[in-house]
Structure formats: structure tokens, C-alpha cells
Amino acid sequence: QVQLVESGGGLVQPGGSLRLSCAASGFTLDYYAIGWFRQAPGKEREGVLCISRSNVNTYYVDSVKGRFTISRVNAKNTVYLQMNSLKPEDTAVYYCAAGRLCTGSWRFYDYWGQGTQVTVSS
């Protein structure tokens, strides 16, 4: 069974950090580009950043540059999203997705996780 499972979300104060995990089962992540998306209440799902099969990071939201990084550990079949200096506007449900190429459009990804809530608030 092909599955992606996110974890690591929660409530954090502004300026804090979280590390989200995206663990795969039923397929090998290193054959895919992995994108992180987020969706805030009342807003469309937006691409945040992506790691290609050759481990190149591509950012789709300027406001996370310098604060968010994505990495993969193939031995664990897991991709991580490290989020630092979090801001209230980062509050959203975060999703990971696997696809053939990095793109900021959610339509081009094959597999999705169920999402994990990130809330940045004092």
C-alpha cells in the first residue's frame, strides 16, 4: 500500500521551530520529487518548497526563504521540512506530496499525505 504520513506539527510560539517529517511506505522516496504544500483556512493550497530527485531545493513562497529547508534521508525513506523563525502567517495544514518533478502546482503530484496542523501563536 502506497502511503505518505506526515508528523511533527503542533503549536509553537512566534520565532520558534518545528521539524515536519514525511515518511513513505509502499514505494521509495528517492525516486520522486517531494513537495511540501500548505493550506490555511479559507485559502487555496499553495506550494511551499520542493526537493528534487537530485536534492535541489526549489522555493515557491518567498517569505519562507532563509527560514525553511527541506532534506531527505533515503535510508529512512523520509523527507523533512525544517521550519525556523516561524510566524503566525505560517499557520496552516502542511502536506507532503510525491511527484516526478518539482512544481508549485498541487495538480502534478501523484501521492499525498493526510496533512499535519502547524499553528504559530503566542
Side-chain angles (χ1 to χ4, degrees):
Q1 182 182 1
V2 172
Q3 196 172 14
L4 285 173
V5 177
E6 301 98 335
S7 61
L11 173 64
V12 63
Q13 291 186 343
S17 298
L18 282 175
R19 188 178 76 159
L20 305 184
S21 299
C22 172
S25 60
F27 70 107
T28 303
L29 272 184
D30 52 331
Y31 294 147
Y32 289 83
I34 305 299
W36 282 95
F37 290 76
R38 66 186 182 186
Q39 189 166 17
K43 295 188 177 181
E44 292 188 356
R45 188 172 300 188
E46 66 173 353
V48 180
L49 74 163
C50 179
I51 185 168
S52 70
R53 288 177 290 180
S54 56
N55 292 328
V56 174
N57 283 196
T58 302
Y59 290 84
Y60 302 109
V61 177
D62 286 341
S63 65
V64 307
K65 291 179 181 179
R67 300 190 297 121
F68 291 12
T69 56
I70 188 172
S71 61
R72 65 168 88 220
V73 178
N74 291 337
K76 294 185 177 182
N77 213 23
T78 300
V79 169
Y80 300 98
L81 177 64
Q82 179 67 45
M83 304 187 296
N84 299 326
S85 302
L86 282 161
K87 304 176 180 180
E89 51 264 42
D90 295 319
T91 295
V93 177
Y94 283 73
Y95 301 87
C96 66
R100 297 183 180 274
L101 297 172
C102 278
T103 170
S105 173
W106 59 266
R107 294 174 177 82
F108 296 100
Y109 288 81
D110 300 317
Y111 307 117
W112 287 85
Q114 82 288 350
T116 185
Q117 176 70 46
V118 172
T119 302
V120 185
S121 175
S122 55

Short mmCIF file of all heavy atoms in Angstrom, two decimals, residues 2 26 30 36 38 43 50 55-56 74-75 77 95 102 108 116:
data_model
loop_
_atom_site.label_atom_id
_atom_site.label_comp_id
_atom_site.label_asym_id
_atom_site.label_seq_id
_atom_site.Cartn_x
_atom_site.Cartn_y
_atom_site.Cartn_z
N VAL A 2 0.65 2.11 -0.97
CA VAL A 2 1.41 3.34 -1.08
C VAL A 2 0.86 4.36 -0.09
O VAL A 2 -0.34 4.62 -0.06
CB VAL A 2 1.32 3.89 -2.51
CG1 VAL A 2 1.94 5.27 -2.58
CG2 VAL A 2 2.01 2.94 -3.49
N GLY A 26 5.53 1.63 0.95
CA GLY A 26 5.00 1.08 -0.30
C GLY A 26 5.69 1.58 -1.54
O GLY A 26 5.40 1.11 -2.64
N ASP A 30 13.27 8.21 -2.81
CA ASP A 30 14.38 8.84 -3.55
C ASP A 30 14.19 8.78 -5.05
O ASP A 30 14.95 9.41 -5.78
CB ASP A 30 15.74 8.27 -3.12
CG ASP A 30 15.81 6.78 -3.16
OD1 ASP A 30 14.76 6.13 -2.99
OD2 ASP A 30 16.92 6.24 -3.33
N TRP A 36 6.36 20.15 -0.39
CA TRP A 36 5.57 20.49 0.79
C TRP A 36 4.59 21.61 0.39
O TRP A 36 5.01 22.60 -0.21
CB TRP A 36 6.45 20.95 1.93
CG TRP A 36 7.13 19.84 2.66
CD1 TRP A 36 8.38 19.35 2.43
CD2 TRP A 36 6.58 19.05 3.73
NE1 TRP A 36 8.64 18.31 3.29
CE2 TRP A 36 7.56 18.11 4.10
CE3 TRP A 36 5.37 19.04 4.41
CZ2 TRP A 36 7.37 17.18 5.12
CZ3 TRP A 36 5.17 18.13 5.42
CH2 TRP A 36 6.16 17.21 5.76
N ARG A 38 0.94 23.84 1.78
CA ARG A 38 0.20 24.22 2.97
C ARG A 38 -1.12 24.86 2.57
O ARG A 38 -1.25 25.42 1.49
CB ARG A 38 1.01 25.17 3.85
CG ARG A 38 1.30 26.53 3.25
CD ARG A 38 2.24 27.32 4.18
NE ARG A 38 2.51 28.65 3.66
CZ ARG A 38 3.38 29.49 4.21
NH1 ARG A 38 4.08 29.14 5.29
NH2 ARG A 38 3.56 30.68 3.68
N LYS A 43 -8.17 29.59 2.37
CA LYS A 43 -7.21 29.86 1.29
C LYS A 43 -6.95 28.60 0.48
O LYS A 43 -7.21 27.49 0.93
CB LYS A 43 -5.89 30.39 1.87
CG LYS A 43 -6.02 31.75 2.55
CD LYS A 43 -4.66 32.28 2.93
CE LYS A 43 -4.77 33.67 3.54
NZ LYS A 43 -3.43 34.22 3.90
N CYS A 50 10.15 22.41 -2.55
CA CYS A 50 10.23 21.06 -3.09
C CYS A 50 11.69 20.64 -3.14
O CYS A 50 12.58 21.49 -3.33
CB CYS A 50 9.63 21.04 -4.49
SG CYS A 50 9.68 19.44 -5.32
N ASN A 55 18.13 16.33 -5.19
CA ASN A 55 18.26 17.07 -3.93
C ASN A 55 18.46 18.57 -4.10
O ASN A 55 19.09 19.21 -3.23
CB ASN A 55 19.37 16.47 -3.07
CG ASN A 55 19.03 15.09 -2.57
OD1 ASN A 55 17.86 14.79 -2.32
ND2 ASN A 55 20.02 14.23 -2.46
N VAL A 56 17.91 19.11 -5.15
CA VAL A 56 17.89 20.57 -5.32
C VAL A 56 16.60 21.10 -4.70
O VAL A 56 15.51 20.59 -4.97
CB VAL A 56 17.97 20.95 -6.81
CG1 VAL A 56 17.80 22.46 -6.97
CG2 VAL A 56 19.29 20.49 -7.40
N ASN A 74 17.40 8.97 2.72
CA ASN A 74 16.93 7.84 1.94
C ASN A 74 16.87 6.55 2.76
O ASN A 74 15.97 5.73 2.57
CB ASN A 74 17.81 7.65 0.71
CG ASN A 74 17.65 8.78 -0.29
OD1 ASN A 74 16.64 9.45 -0.32
ND2 ASN A 74 18.67 8.97 -1.11
N ALA A 75 17.81 6.39 3.66
CA ALA A 75 17.83 5.17 4.47
C ALA A 75 16.57 5.03 5.32
O ALA A 75 16.17 3.92 5.68
CB ALA A 75 19.07 5.15 5.35
N ASN A 77 13.70 6.51 4.24
CA ASN A 77 12.59 6.74 3.32
C ASN A 77 11.72 7.90 3.81
O ASN A 77 10.48 7.85 3.78
CB ASN A 77 11.73 5.48 3.15
CG ASN A 77 11.15 5.36 1.75
OD1 ASN A 77 11.66 5.93 0.78
ND2 ASN A 77 10.06 4.63 1.64
N TYR A 95 1.12 19.63 4.02
CA TYR A 95 1.05 18.35 3.33
C TYR A 95 2.34 18.08 2.59
O TYR A 95 2.94 19.00 2.03
CB TYR A 95 -0.07 18.36 2.29
CG TYR A 95 -1.46 18.64 2.81
CD1 TYR A 95 -1.91 19.94 2.95
CD2 TYR A 95 -2.32 17.59 3.13
CE1 TYR A 95 -3.19 20.20 3.41
CE2 TYR A 95 -3.59 17.84 3.60
CZ TYR A 95 -4.02 19.14 3.74
OH TYR A 95 -5.28 19.40 4.20
N CYS A 102 9.63 18.60 -9.54
CA CYS A 102 9.22 19.68 -8.65
C CYS A 102 8.37 20.69 -9.43
O CYS A 102 8.74 21.14 -10.52
CB CYS A 102 10.43 20.40 -8.07
SG CYS A 102 11.15 19.57 -6.63
N PHE A 108 0.13 18.17 -10.05
CA PHE A 108 1.09 17.32 -10.73
C PHE A 108 1.79 16.32 -9.80
O PHE A 108 2.81 15.75 -10.16
CB PHE A 108 2.12 18.18 -11.45
CG PHE A 108 1.52 19.01 -12.54
CD1 PHE A 108 1.23 20.35 -12.32
CD2 PHE A 108 1.22 18.46 -13.77
CE1 PHE A 108 0.65 21.13 -13.32
CE2 PHE A 108 0.66 19.23 -14.78
CZ PHE A 108 0.37 20.56 -14.55
N THR A 116 -0.62 17.70 8.39
CA THR A 116 -0.36 17.91 9.81
C THR A 116 -0.53 19.40 10.11
O THR A 116 -0.07 20.25 9.34
CB THR A 116 1.04 17.40 10.21
OG1 THR A 116 1.21 17.51 11.63
CG2 THR A 116 2.15 18.16 9.52
#
